Each structure stands twice: as C-alpha cells, then as structure tokens.
Amino acid sequence: MPDTSSAWTRLVEGNAVVRFVDINLRGAGQVIFQNNPLTGLFFLAAIGWGALKADQPAVIIGAVVALLVATITAMLLDVDEASLRQGLFGFNGVLVGAAVPTFLVANASMWLILAIGAAVSTVVMLAVSNVMKTWGAPALTFPFVLTTWFLVLGAYSFGHLLIGSMGQPVLPHPVTDAVTGFRPKIWPLAEAWLKGPAQVFLINNAVSGILVVLGLLASSAWAALFALIGSGVALLISLWLGASLASIEAGLFGFSPVLTAVGLGCVFYPPSWRVTLFALLGTVFTVIVQGAMDASLAPLGIPTFTAPFVFVTWLFLLPKAKLQPHPHAPIENGVMTKDGAQPAAHPSGTASDGRS
Amino acid sequence: MPDTSSAWTRLVEGNAVVRFVDINLRGAGQVIFQNNPLTGLFFLAAIGWGALKADQPAVIIGAVVALLVATITAMLLDVDEASLRQGLFGFNGVLVGAAVPTFLVANASMWLILAIGAAVSTVVMLAVSNVMKTWGAPALTFPFVLTTWFLVLGAYSFGHLLIGSMGQPVLPHPVTDAVTGFRPKIWPLAEAWLKGPAQVFLINNAVSGILVVLGLLASSAWAALFALIGSGVALLISLWLGASLASIEAGLFGFSPVLTAVGLGCVFYPPSWRVTLFALLGTVFTVIVQGAMDASLAPLGIPTFTAPFVFVTWLFLLPKAKLQPHPHAPIENGVMTKDGAQPAAHPSGTASDGRS
Amino acid sequence: MPDTSSAWTRLVEGNAVVRFVDINLRGAGQVIFQNNPLTGLFFLAAIGWGALKADQPAVIIGAVVALLVATITAMLLDVDEASLRQGLFGFNGVLVGAAVPTFLVANASMWLILAIGAAVSTVVMLAVSNVMKTWGAPALTFPFVLTTWFLVLGAYSFGHLLIGSMGQPVLPHPVTDAVTGFRPKIWPLAEAWLKGPAQVFLINNAVSGILVVLGLLASSAWAALFALIGSGVALLISLWLGASLASIEAGLFGFSPVLTAVGLGCVFYPPSWRVTLFALLGTVFTVIVQGAMDASLAPLGIPTFTAPFVFVTWLFLLPKAKLQPHPHAPIENGVMTKDGAQPAAHPSGTASDGRS
C-alpha cells in the first residue's frame, strides 16, 4: 500500500498530533516486532474485540491508557527520538495495561498501579535495553514481564488490590487432564492454533487471533507465516508431551512460541532454511520452558506472561559468531593473580592438556 | 564542623589504628551512602540502642564483628585503597552482622556462619561491583542481601542453626489486617515514619530512627530530607493500597523506600526538581515491589532485606542518556549471521517499516 | 605417559573419526575442567559403573547420547574450532544426559526432551559464555543447570513425562536427621568422602568416586588433590552444621564443593597458599549455599544440580584486581544527568565526605 502509507507519512511529518498517534500505533505493533501503525491498529482491534466479547472492557481501556502513559513517560525522559518514533517505548506499556485488568479487579487502586506500572515499564525498558545492548541483544518484552510480576504479586500484600482471575497458589503437582488415547477433534485444535497469536495480548479468542495474523500480514508476510508456524509447532509438541488439554485449547501453550518463532525466524535473523531450523529448535524449547515456568510459578499463583519467550529468545540470540568460551585455564587479572603473580604460560591452553 | 573534622583527618593520617577505626566508621555510614565517620557512629548507636532495648545484644555485637571481618577481608585481598578508605567494603558487613542474629538464635554455629558471611560479603561486593560497573552502576546493598539470603536459608538445612524470628514458610495469601474505614491515629503513624530509617538496620525502634536521621544530618541535609520524604511517601502509599497495618507500623514498608529516595534523590543524581520527581516514582514503585517480594518470599519464610531498594534503584540508575534500544531488526554477528551471511541492508531500520 | 599420548595425538590428527571420539572424551573430562581424553574415559567409566550398579542403564546411555548430540550441535553451529577440540561443548551435554534419566522415567517423551535438551545445552553454553566473557569468567556448568531445571520442571506440566526419583514439592522445614551427640563411624564417612566426586555426575557410588579421582590423577595431580580436599572440607562443615546425615552419607553435600575447590584452587588460579585459603573460603561457603538452595528449591521439588558450585565460583572469580567499586556519588551520563546538567565537581569524591 505505498500510496496510503506515503500519504500517512506526510501527515505524520506535518502534524504533531498525528505523529503522536502514529508513535502509539507503532508501539502496539512492536509487541510482535512490527514497526507499522496499521499493524498496531489491528492489534488494538484484536484486544478490543476479545475484551468486549469477554465482557472485560477494562482490558482494552487499560491497554490504551498504559500505552499512552508509557509513551508520554518516554517523551518526558527525552529518550532517543528515532527509537521513540519506532514505537519501542510503547509495546511493554500495552501489555502491562492489558494484563493488570485481566488478573486484578478494576478499582481505584488497580488503576493507580496500572498507571505507575506503565510509567515504570518505560524506565525498565531503558534499563534492560542498556544492559542487553552490551551483547547486541534487545530487551524483548522483559520490561512488561518484570513490571507486571511486581504489580500482580503486590495484590497479595495490598488489601485494596483484589485478585480476579489469577490461580490459587499451590505447590507443583502432575497435570491431571493430559491427553491420553488421543482422538483429534479438529475444530477445538484449529481454534487453539488461532488463539496462540491472540494470547500474546492475553486474549482468549480465535477471531482476535485472526486479527493479529492479519495485522502481521499488513506489515510482513514472513512474520504472519512464522506466527502460524510457531503456534502450530507448539500445538503439536504440547499434545505430544501430554500438557493440560484445557490450557492447550485456550492457546496458553502457543503465545510464547509464536513470539519466539517470529523473533528468531524472521526478525533478528534474516529468514533462511538454516535460520528456520534454529528457530524451530528455539520454538520447541519454548514449549518446554512454558511448562517448566507454569510449574515454578504455581506456588506464587502468578502467570508466566511472555517470560518463556524472553528467556529462550535471549539464549538463542546471545551466542555470537566466532565465539571462544573461556577455556578451563587461569583467568587473567583476577583478584588472586595480580601484579606479583606469574602469568599463565599459555593463556589459550591448559596445564592439563593431554596433547602437549 | 570544619575544625573537628580537620583534627580528625590529621589523626587519621598519622595513626594506623585511628585510620582503621575511621575506615570502619565510614563503612557503617555507607549503609546510607555517607562517607563520614560521625554518621557511622550515629548509625552504630542506632543499632546499639535498638538492640539493647529489644534485649538482643547479639545484634549490635554481630554488626560490629561483621563490620571488622568484612573490612579486614578487604585488606587481605589488597583491594583498591581509595575505595577501602571510603568504607565501601564495610557497609554490607554491618548489615550481614545485624541481620543474622536478628533471625537466627545466637549459638556457636551462628557465629561461625556470621563470620564466614561477613568475609564472603566482601568477595561478593567485589564481584557485584565488577559486574555493575559495566553500566556505571554501584553494587548497592546487593552483596548483603545475597549473602544473608544464603545464610538464613541454610538454617532450614542445618540442624545446628536454629531459626529465631523468621516467619513460617507459607504460600502467599491475601493480607488480612489491611486498613479499612481508616481513621488516622497520629502517634503510631509518626512512629512508623521514624522507624523506616531504623529498619534499614533491621531495628524496630523510633528513637533509633531519630539517631539515623541525625547521623545523616551530620553529613548531608539533603540525605536527611530525602530519608524522611522516602519514609513518608512509603507510609502514604502503603496505607492507600491497604498493606498490613502491623507491618506498616513496624516500619517494614518504609526502609527500602528510604534508601531509594536518598539514593536516587541526592546521591547518584544531583538534587533538582526533575530528579525529585524521578526519585518519587522510584520510591512509590519500591513500596509496590516490597509488597510483591513479601509475597514471593513467603513460601521460603525469609525476609526481603533491602532487595526492593536494590532492584528498583538499579532499574532507575541503569537507563543512560541518548539510549537507543536495539531496534526489532536483524542483530549483527549473531551465530546465525556470520561471515557468509548478507548483512542487514539498513542496520537502523526494519524490513517491516511501514514508512519506507 | 608422553609416548602413549603423542601416539594418540597422531591418530587424532590423521583420522576424523578418532578426532570426533577424542573431542567427545575431552568433553566428558571437562566436567571437572580437564582437557584430557583419558580423564574423560575414566569419568564415563565412573558413570557407567554407578549406573549399572544402580540398575539404571538409561543414565549412562543418556550421558553418551547427550554428549554426542551436544558436540554435533556445536559442529552444526560452526563454533570456534579450538574450543570445540578442547571439549568445551561436551561437558554440559554429558550432565544433561546423566541427570534426565536419573530423575524422570525413561520413555519416548523422556528421550525426546533429553535430545532437545542436549542440543539446547550447546546454544546455552554459547549464550552464557558470551555474557560471562564480558568479565573474563567461564560459563562453568550453568548451561547444564539451567537447561535441566527446565526439563525436569516440565515434568509437572506434561503428563507423558513421568517423575521418577525427584522429591515431592514441600515448603522448607527444619532438618530432622541432623547429627546430634556425634560418634563418628569411619566407614560411612569415608564412603561419603569418595561419593562427593562421583555425585558431580549424579552417581551415588564410592567406587565411581575412586574412578573420578583416578581420572583426575591421569591429567593433574593438583586437581585430584583439590577434589579430595573439597569433598573432605564439605564433609566436616556439613557435619559441624548438622546437615541431614542421609544426605551427607550420599555425598550430596560434597559434589559442588569438589568443583569449587578444583576450580578455584588449581584451574582458574595457579595453586599457591594464598589461593588455597581463598579456595577454602569458597568451598566452605559452597556448603552453606548447598543447604540454602536445597531449602529454596524444596517447594518446586527439583534438585540444585551443580548450581551452588556455579554461583559461588562465579562470585569468587568475578572480583578483579585494582577494583574500584562505584563510589556513592553521582553517576555520569545517567538518564537524569545529560547534556544540560552540571557534572559532579569531584567525580571520585562525594559531597558528603567528612574529610574535605
């Protein structure tokens, strides 16, 4: 759509209000890595549709409010203009704002911490980005995950924050509704496949999932493809391993793998067969980490959010070419090997090398 | 007091014993960032007063012993002389030594691990400082927090370490004594306000809080002011959100915010209106993180110590000016994009940029 | 054995299959830092002996399969050739492969996640190495620990993964079988002393421990000595502190201290009296951290693996000579101190320095 988009570009350059809207729409789009305002509009529509269908208008209101607060906080902190314009300070806010009303009851205290959390998500984005750029890696949605864990955990300690739909804290216990003697029912599984992309935004709705995929398509066919691949692979692996059928059907094993597949498959590496295989390994491992984190957070009664995606994608982005791990040999300049100490004779070998 | 302090400076320069005393007093002062021996003396007096009033002499004895062990360990490791002289290797030790006898019963095994922990706190200080200086940030009290978590958690596994006043491990559950239909009682709240600064040293005593504030005043009026602001803001927010009244009145929602407010408000940034607003956001968020961490550590039955301050202050110090987060675009030199692979055409843009 | 080893070297250089075998044997040897194929052979024999004696052949089969998968994954990722040849991409795989069948029932799903975990352990090795080399430190066995935590935690969420010998999740509670009125029984303690080195490989067998020590001796007398010292010190400290006698006798308080003692005592620092004292402090602290982590992981019902060794050894390797911690003074170039802000007058001092 070159004409439409160049007309939009002119509008954005010429008008501060349109520019502000554009930044916020791109912020929504960046939840799945898309620097595209139309994609963002589709994503907000997906949240809105799902929130209204579930009779939870606070979820879409919260998402928009938090998006605005996060963006305005970034402006007040005078962040890098180009990053701001790409929406990189909005996507964590959108997710904070969708998550808090999903799990806590909407009252004055909830709105207070939602706004505080949205502002803090921008500070955390700056902090995590600064740390991760040491290794050339992005912050991903970790600012959202960390901030929102603090907010929803706080609900146990603050009497005026009322827990809505979070699970009861329990010690981990084996799953009871795993699929046994599996006879596939096509429609619930097709729905689960579409709900994966929707659950990125904490929305349990297949129509929203279609809107999310259409939003991706508006920006990148690769991204739409990898989102569907990620959700599909997650479905197969979680069925094979015998995950809770209720969770699978709600798309809860799919949303993190969607993000891993898109991130590794076509955003942070250019798509190729080799990259696709690497991304598939990461996607499959994300399903395992989803199961692991569900168990490890059970005693706290809080959701994983997109942490499985963040941790696996970091592990798969941090390796660098030509890497040499530190050999198992003396380290230089350690607190026990200073001026006076003799340096290791062969810094790249080891004293115990059987070949020498 | 220029005369007194220059006389002290002469004494310190001329006499190794006085110098050692000076280093240790500064070490106590650095708990709240003050490189000032008189401040340290006030802080030790605050611990001593509170410990004796609570009939727990082991707390002040432990604090002094651990301070000495931590400082001597630093000397044995030949650390940087200027840092040593500023007391930067003492403040974690003081806190380890005050915390262990607060939560464990004083017996031979307790004193053994207290001494080991104090020595280790210096090693951890060096390790954490080395890591955090990558981003120009300080270690804060994380060496104390990490070391002491290990020590008190060990009490569950070691039969000769007896748990004193730690809570019973429980799964998180909503608070039961939140304030409802609030009619403010001035005196308990004033006490809570003063106990905030005292609880930095694990002391539940308003007089000790006054001694702490006076100690700050001896070094920096800004620090004293921000300590009182931090404790006051924490009081208001924790009341508003409905935290446990017993915890509020003991100052347990105030001590981390005191440290955040002083650290962000006047130590790591020069005081200004803009900085004050930023510090206030951090202070308010510290209260939420305190509630969140209380819940998340409940299953282990261990205290948060000053971790809420450490985590929030790190998040608020790590952002750097002119920051550019990594765009959602290919990363260079990753394990999947080596020699042979084509570089991303526009490293600062994205393939899915709707504007291009 | 110069003749034997130079003959082996010629074989390795001349034949790709022998070279592949050599790489994998060195991979096994690197579990305790030894770049030596004969050592690796001894270690595999130790696992094999213990696995067969315990009637768990899947443990040795898993170890070998995972070793091969991890090494082949490294080859497919084109890692640094010299590091590959030293076996640095095999040791985490061996441990993943020994651990998974130790704790989960061997069925098709277990073998699937074992193979996935082995491949992922190589990716995680690259990621952790890249992060840790920022401070000149090695990845140690953290890739094994992290990957295997995810795999065994997943067993709670996936119905087709069956938990074998993992403990039931419980809240931490004081130890009940601590040694009281201790009258030493020599033989069980001697066995415990030898089981320490064997439990590095999750093997509860004294003969395997002897094989491990002999394997070390084939490569480095220092390593063998420090392994025995590490296990002995751990035995004394855990008895003194009153740890569970059953755990002590199974070598479960010994394996991490063995690794800490060897790593700090003669691998990452050249052996000396000063280094030995430093390594001893680390070894003793590793025992405390073992107790602490046993308690903290009890609610999840998963083992610590070698995490106590990893965390303590990192803390003792990260300090660097001539270290200056960040003083408690303004940080430069923070988000609140940009272009316009006045710089701190004395960057190395503090405004609250009582000496000025």
Side-chain angles (χ1 to χ4, degrees), chain C residues 49-75:
Chain C
W49 175 269
L52 296 178
K53 277 289 176 184
D55 210 17
Q56 290 197 300
V59 170
I60 178 65
I61 298 169
V64 173
V65 167
L67 172 58
L68 297 174
V69 170
T71 301
I72 292 168
T73 304
M75 290 170 163

Side-chain angles (χ1 to χ4, degrees), chain B residues 175-247:
Chain B
V175 65
T176 53
D177 67 335
V179 184
T180 49
F182 180 60
R183 277 168 300 173
K185 294 176 189 150
I186 296 303
W187 181 236
L189 293 186
E191 262 204 319
W193 183 48
L194 293 171
K195 283 180 176 177
Q199 285 284 14
V200 170
F201 301 89
L202 302 106
I203 297 295
N204 182 3
N205 186 301
V207 173
S208 293
I210 294 171
L211 288 170
V212 169
V213 174
L214 290 176
L216 289 173
L217 207 54
S219 161
S220 157
W222 282 115
L225 178 65
F226 274 101
L228 290 171
I229 290 173
S231 191
V233 166
L235 196 60
L236 292 176
I237 297 289
S238 54
L239 283 169
W240 164 278
L241 290 174
S244 151
L245 194 55
S247 295

Side-chain angles (χ1 to χ4, degrees), chain B residues 118-146:
Chain B
V120 168
S121 80
T122 291
V123 177
V124 178
M125 176 65 183
L126 286 164
V128 177
S129 295
N130 191 25
V131 170
M132 296 307 294
K133 79 173 169 179
T134 310
W135 307 288
L140 302 177
T141 52
F142 190 62
F144 150 63
V145 170
L146 185 65

Side-chain angles (χ1 to χ4, degrees), chain A residues 76-79 126 134-135 171-175 178-180 237-244 253 274 278 281 284-285 287-299 311-312 314-320 322-339 341-342 344 348-356, chain C residues 5 9 13 26 30 33-37 76-80 83 85-86 88-89 91 108-109 112-113 116-117 119-120 123-131 133-138 146-147 149-151 153-154 156-161 163 169-171 219-220 267-270 274-275 278 299-300 316-317 319-322 335-336 338:
Chain A
L76 293 175
L77 291 173
D78 277 342
V79 299
L126 287 164
T134 309
W135 307 288
L171 293 178
H173 53 86
V175 63
V179 184
T180 50
I237 297 289
S238 55
L239 282 169
W240 164 277
L241 290 174
S244 151
F253 276 92
R274 197 172 135 88
F278 191 68
L281 180 63
V284 168
F285 194 61
V287 178
I288 294 173
V289 173
Q290 180 68 58
M293 291 200 67
D294 285 344
S296 68
L297 293 181
F311 296 156
V312 174
W314 273 346
L315 291 172
F316 277 65
L317 289 181
L318 286 170
K320 288 290 189 174
K322 298 279 173 208
L323 183 79
Q324 291 178 276
H326 189 284
H328 287 161
I331 62 170
E332 283 178 63
N333 199 29
V335 76
M336 284 289 125
T337 48
K338 290 171 303 180
D339 310 333
Q342 73 278 37
S348 66
T350 76
S352 55
D353 186 335
R355 292 182 301 182
S356 63
Chain C
S5 74
T9 303
E13 294 308 321
R26 286 174 196 270
Q30 290 283 16
F33 315 112
Q34 306 306 311
N35 177 14
N36 185 308
L76 292 174
L77 290 173
D78 278 341
V79 300
D80 174 66
S83 304
R85 291 284 289 273
Q86 288 178 36
L88 290 175
F89 294 99
F91 67 97
S109 290
L112 176 69
I113 67 152
I116 292 170
V120 168
V123 177
V124 178
M125 176 66 183
L126 287 164
V128 177
S129 295
N130 192 26
V131 170
K133 79 173 171 181
T134 310
W135 307 287
L146 185 65
T147 305
W149 272 343
F150 285 139
L151 299 180
L153 268 172
Y156 291 109
S157 292
F158 299 118
H160 302 158
L161 291 175
I163 293 170
V170 287
L171 293 178
S219 161
S220 157
V267 173
F268 298 112
Y269 294 119
R274 197 172 136 87
V275 162
F278 191 68
L300 302 180
F316 277 66
L317 289 180
K320 289 289 192 175
K322 298 277 174 211
V335 75
M336 283 289 126
K338 288 171 305 179

